[in-house]
Amino acid sequence: MNKTESRKDQHVKVAIEKNVSSDYNYWDDIKLVHNALPEIQKKDIDLSTKLFNKKIGAPIIIASMTGGYSKAKKINENLAVAAEKFKLGMGVGSQRAAIEKNDLKETYSVINNYDIPLRFANIGASQLVIWGIEKTLQNAQKMIDMINADVFIVCLNFLQEAVMPEGESNARGVYDAIKKLTEDLNIPVIVKESGAGISYSVAKKLSKTKISGIDVGGLGGTSFSAIEHYRSQMINDKLHERGGKTFWNWGIPTPTSILNVGDATNWKIPIIATGGIRNGLDVAKSLTLGADAAGIARTLLEPAISGKTHRLV
Ligand SMILES: Cc1cc2nc3c(=O)[nH]c(=O)nc-3n(C[C@H](O)[C@H](O)[C@H](O)COP(=O)(O)O)c2cc1C
């Protein structure tokens, strides 16, 4: 591993070069009932839907992944090309790097060159504690402006922070910070897990805030413990290498998390199903369970890296 590479750069590299999926994909447990008499003309099927008051071409979101180092600009641009063509929602990765270093802004704001119907800003939850509430509110507005975001995501990633060599694992005060963001920002605020899922009790607690949606970010796809296992291995950090291995398959499966979150929130706020979605059939399964849309991350990463940047119209 090259010492000059940023952490986000290493995450992408490891996610591409190694098998970082959980050992089991829980979408395989779900079988939809076949309808032998559908009485519909295939070409009349309209996949478009409304999410956070925006019309999107299909209930699919390109999940938050990257930004903050030079090569990420092309990845985000290629993802933006797809988001524009298929009118999908799109998130960028944690925008902390651009708050700390102004010249990294364009690795995120490149998506402004594309007509994307629903854009998600993103910050890791531990950063809210580090900044404190006043600075968080100021920086949140900067992140929103940076990509003209329609929705602000707080990413709950404490498992990753705990197994990561340089992790920031102070979670004290995060709930209050989220509550304040939901009250003060003038766009919807949602929370998103990044691979370990949201439980019934966490969703119940969050439902007491003005939260506008939950991305369950469940177990079954990319495992950040796996990514951190490999990153630790590369720098010969035995402790975190072992920690990443131990928690590789930790979490609430995405399908289970959808049902738990739906029950806890009385299905009143949008639920996004991210974690292990590989294709349209997995998306359909997530909708059947009650999700409003599904998020796809790693499956889109490789094409976004190798793809040629051009408008596909
Ligand atoms: C390389 C990489 C970087 C990621 N960075 C972020 C991030 O900055 N913020 C975030 O909320 N989620 C991040 N994620 C998590 C994804 O949004 C998603 O929740 C997770 O990968 C599970 O989806 P998948 O199984 O389709 O990959 C990242 C995922 C990958 C693969």
Side-chain angles (χ1 to χ4, degrees), residues 4 6 8-9 66-76 101 103-104 106-108 110:
T4 60
S6 76
K8 296 299 282 181
D9 195 355
T66 201
Y69 65 101
S70 59
K71 281 186 238 156
K73 184 177 170 188
K74 180 166 179 264
I75 299 176
N76 274 335
K101 220 166 161 222
D103 59 0
L104 293 173
E106 61 169 12
T107 65
Y108 304 90
V110 63

Side-chain angles (χ1 to χ4, degrees), residues 149-169:
D150 304 294
V151 178
F152 187 82
I153 295 178
V154 176
C155 175
L156 303 177
N157 59 350
F158 286 105
L159 174 61
Q160 182 195 358
E161 296 288 354
V163 297
M164 175 187 337
E166 63 281 64
E168 285 144 356
S169 45

Side-chain angles (χ1 to χ4, degrees), residues 282-304:
D282 289 340
V283 175
K285 290 175 179 180
S286 78
L287 301 185
T288 307
L289 291 183
D292 296 88
I296 309 178
R298 206 174 77 99
T299 299
L300 301 177
L301 191 55
E302 199 168 343

